[in-house]
Amino acid sequence: MRSLVGAALLLLGMSALPVLAADGKDITARGTPDRAASCSPCHGQNGQGQPATGVPRLAGLNAQYFERQLESFKDGTRKNRIMLMIASDLTDGERKALANYYADMATPKPETAPADPAVIAAGAKLAATGDWSKDLPGCGQCHGAAGLGVGTDFPRLAGQWAVYIEKALRSWKAGDRKNDPMGVMANVANKLTDDQIKSVAAYYESLPVAAPVHNPDNKP
Amino acid sequence: MSRNPVAPSVPAVAVLALAAAGFIGSMLSASAAAPLTGATPEQPPAAKTEAARPSYTPPADSDIPDGPFGDMIRLGEAIFHDTRHNAKGFVGNDLQCSNCHIDRGRQPNSAPLGAAYLLYPAYRAKNGHVNTFQERLQGCFRFSMNGKAPPFNDKVLVALETYAYFLAKGGPTGVAVKGQGYPKLKAPDQPADYDRGAKAYAQHCSLCHGGDGEGQKSADGQTVFPPLWGPRSFNWGAGMASINNAAGFIKANMPLGLGGSLSDQEAWDIATYMDSQERPQDPRFVESVAETRKRFHDEPTSKYGLVVNGVHLGEKSPPSGTIDAAD
């Protein structure tokens, strides 16, 4: 709907004006007039990301969570050189448009070689029950038993690439990522061993991606 | 081996038994309510009491045997972890046992299940007779789960009892061990305060439990963060509706994975705020809210029947024992 409006406005030659004119699909393919790089070359045409390099899957992420990540790249609470440049070149309206565009995207998970079943099983156990000898909750206790994410603060992990999840956990551990509310992820990541990081990452990559649930509160 | 630090007077024993499994219906006669503050002659301050207690470690998951007995233990664990799906027909809200008994009933200071098992059978002032462990579990379903009690020897109770017995292995029978029940916090420096609690709740709790205590579900409709009040939470008869229990639980275990990070004052304030909200009716309701308070809630640790923020708590409570037709 919004893209239709955007397209109509473009036709009317009003492209640079209202926030509404920002068109998620257009930005992913072509970038923005203010020279923000386009998304698709790295994140894929369907937001599927790259399993080998750890570029995250964006399809189906909660819109508000997504928007906040772009803000975090810009304000430095999430350190990433490339994303800092891109996020800085986007307007508020463009960030919102991208967030909504990706949130509504139902992209199947590309087939990849499965990880070692023993590693996945160890990850499944940790995700379900945690490791309370270290006061470590199970991932599923916040991200949901199926890893589908909860609300605007606990993103979907199901079907996310293992390499990316490992990177993310290591960034919290290193303090390169500080945008977690109440420091919940820093607390979790600092309690994880390298083996535990690898096993939960492999487990979540192995899970099916459910179709995104459209959140009517994400009004553009 | 240390002795049981609590003098074996009937009220104190009742208190021990009451504290045994955390989620206890509310509570005691006024005369026996005093020990709940943790600072009476019968019960020395919690810290000393705790230090004098023996500890034991529940067996590991890998110690569960194969065969029918092991299967029953595993079923108990499954009920504990996902009560709604595995104890169908007995649950009337969106809670799981493991919401308040952390780590599948293993975590010290969150009313661990094995430590509770060691203290039963016990006389309970709540109902004035000696309760078996199964009867104690029935109370959990009736009050904490806002549902209905499974009949004695129902598979649900047998499985939970078997799981508790497994977790109690190696612990001293009849003795309160370290980390049993919820910690008894000292009275707060300043009287616990609803408004301060509301602020602290917004700061430390609402991220997960929602701005209005409604909890949060994941995209597939499964409850992930339990509702703390309202129609889908524990009812007025549950132990967690008593401010002292809630404060001890919050202090030791909340926010999840960050237990011990809140001050005692914050724990008391948040508990007061949470337990000053409407929730399903006490299933023992008799005649009127005032009469029900007099009989079951006549103590400073319960807000039932009092007016808070212009709301007469208990007057417009959602119904108790709401089992979904689908279950």
Side-chain angles (χ1 to χ4, degrees):
Chain A
M1 176 67 212
R2 233 172 345 79
S3 58
L4 283 179
V5 175
L9 287 167
L10 276 175
L11 286 174
L12 291 168
M14 298 166 63
S15 61
L17 279 174
V19 162
L20 239 132
D23 180 282
K25 185 172 184 185
D26 198 57
I27 299 166
T28 61
R30 282 196 285 276
T32 69
D34 299 331
R35 303 232 304 279
S38 56
C39 319
S40 300
C42 297
H43 290 279
Q45 277 207 308
N46 303 310
Q48 70 272 31
Q50 295 182 38
T53 56
V55 174
R57 175 193 167 91
L58 302 179
L61 274 180
N62 173 275
Q64 278 155 288
Y65 172 80
F66 183 105
E67 221 183 318
R68 223 180 27 252
Q69 301 317 300
L70 285 174
E71 285 159 14
S72 299
F73 288 126
K74 196 178 158 184
D75 69 24
T77 48
R78 222 184 136 163
K79 283 200 179 68
N80 181 304
R81 226 162 23 90
I82 295 169
M83 285 310 302
L84 165 65
M85 290 192 297
I86 293 169
S88 304
D89 288 339
L90 293 168
T91 64
D92 291 356
E94 287 163 345
R95 281 199 295 271
K96 202 176 272 300
L98 283 170
N100 285 311
Y101 177 67
Y102 280 118
D104 284 345
M105 210 180 236
T107 302
K109 193 170 62 173
E111 282 298 315
T112 51
D116 176 351
V119 175
I120 291 176
K125 171 124 180 71
L126 191 66
T129 58
D131 179 353
W132 287 93
S133 68
K134 302 190 274 197
D135 277 339
L136 176 70
C139 320
Q141 291 184 267
C142 293
H143 293 273
L148 297 177
V150 180
T152 60
D153 291 296
F154 302 92
R156 173 195 309 249
L157 301 175
Q160 185 55 277
W161 302 119
V163 177
Y164 168 73
I165 294 176
E166 286 180 32
K167 264 192 200 168
L169 289 167
R170 285 197 300 268
S171 332
W172 271 304
K173 230 173 162 162
D176 291 340
R177 191 169 168 180
K178 294 196 181 76
N179 67 335
D180 47 335
M182 286 171 41
V184 285
M185 282 311 302
N187 174 52
V188 165
N190 279 311
K191 291 173 179 175
L192 290 168
T193 64
D194 284 350
D195 280 352
Q196 287 176 323
I197 287 177
K198 279 196 166 52
S199 61
V200 289
Y203 166 68
Y204 280 113
E205 179 177 307
S206 77
L207 290 183
V209 178
V213 174
H214 184 66
N215 176 357
D217 295 341
N218 289 336
K219 301 229 168 36
Chain B
M1 195 58 212
S2 86
R3 61 185 184 80
N4 179 339
V6 178
S9 68
V10 169
V13 170
V15 168
L16 259 186
L18 276 163
F23 254 63
I24 42 194
S26 109
M27 303 237 115
L28 295 163
S29 66
S31 65
L36 290 174
T37 60
T40 67
E42 283 131 333
Q43 188 158 341
K48 272 192 216 160
T49 309
E50 188 64 15
R53 292 176 172 189
S55 59
Y56 88 105
T57 306
D61 291 341
S62 53
D63 295 330
I64 301 176
D66 290 331
F69 190 69
D71 292 345
M72 194 57 87
I73 295 172
R74 271 182 282 269
L75 177 60
E77 187 194 355
I79 292 167
F80 215 79
H81 187 64
D82 187 352
T83 320
R84 190 164 181 70
H85 291 109
N86 295 311
K88 267 200 189 340
F90 301 117
V91 176
N93 61 17
D94 294 335
L95 303 187
Q96 317 279 21
C97 308
S98 53
N99 290 145
C100 300
H101 306 275
I102 309 287
D103 192 19
R104 301 160 295 143
R106 292 170 162 276
Q107 182 79 337
N109 298 313
S110 76
L113 196 57
Y117 182 89
L118 294 169
L119 296 175
Y120 278 84
Y123 174 85
R124 298 185 71 209
K126 181 171 182 174
N127 51 24
H129 62 262
V130 172
N131 291 214
T132 62
F133 190 67
Q134 277 207 17
E135 187 177 358
R136 180 62 196 81
L137 290 169
Q138 287 180 324
C140 299
F141 281 96
R142 194 173 166 216
F143 300 111
S144 304
M145 307 310 291
N146 192 41
K148 62 178 196 206
F152 283 122
N153 289 325
D154 185 280
K155 199 171 184 182
V156 165
L157 293 186
V158 173
L160 285 171
E161 184 181 7
T162 309
Y163 179 49
Y165 166 83
F166 167 76
L167 289 177
K169 190 175 179 180
T173 306
V175 177
V177 295
K178 270 196 176 61
Q180 174 269 327
Y182 295 126
K184 313 281 175 284
L185 296 191
K186 286 207 300 284
D189 295 339
Q190 309 172 61
D193 181 77
Y194 178 99
D195 292 331
R196 257 201 328 263
K199 283 198 189 76
Y201 176 88
Q203 197 182 338
H204 301 289
C205 319
S206 64
L207 172 71
C208 299
H209 294 286
D212 202 19
E214 70 278 22
Q216 287 194 78
K217 291 175 162 48
S218 67
D220 54 352
Q222 301 295 310
T223 296
V224 177
F225 298 111
L228 303 182
W229 59 88
R232 303 300 299 168
S233 189
F234 53 90
N235 69 37
W236 278 112
M240 210 41 95
S242 285
I243 293 167
N244 52 316
N245 286 328
F249 169 77
I250 290 165
K251 170 73 185 184
N253 301 291
M254 289 289 130
L256 194 69
L258 293 161
S261 64
L262 298 170
S263 69
D264 285 18
Q265 185 71 53
E266 283 170 324
W268 278 111
D269 291 343
I270 291 166
T272 299
Y273 174 70
M274 174 178 90
D275 281 343
S276 300
Q277 312 287 344
E278 244 337 335
R279 54 185 63 265
Q281 185 57 265
D282 191 323
R284 299 164 300 181
F285 185 89
V286 277
E287 294 171 32
S288 67
V289 171
E291 183 58 27
T292 306
R293 177 170 175 94
K294 204 168 101 186
R295 278 204 219 176
F296 303 112
H297 298 275
D298 194 13
E299 57 202 81
T301 52
S302 174
K303 295 289 181 188
Y304 181 87
L306 305 182
V307 177
V308 181
N309 267 358
V311 178
H312 188 187
L313 295 169
E315 276 297 347
K316 291 211 171 76
S317 295
S320 62
T322 43
I323 308 284
D324 294 348
D327 286 352

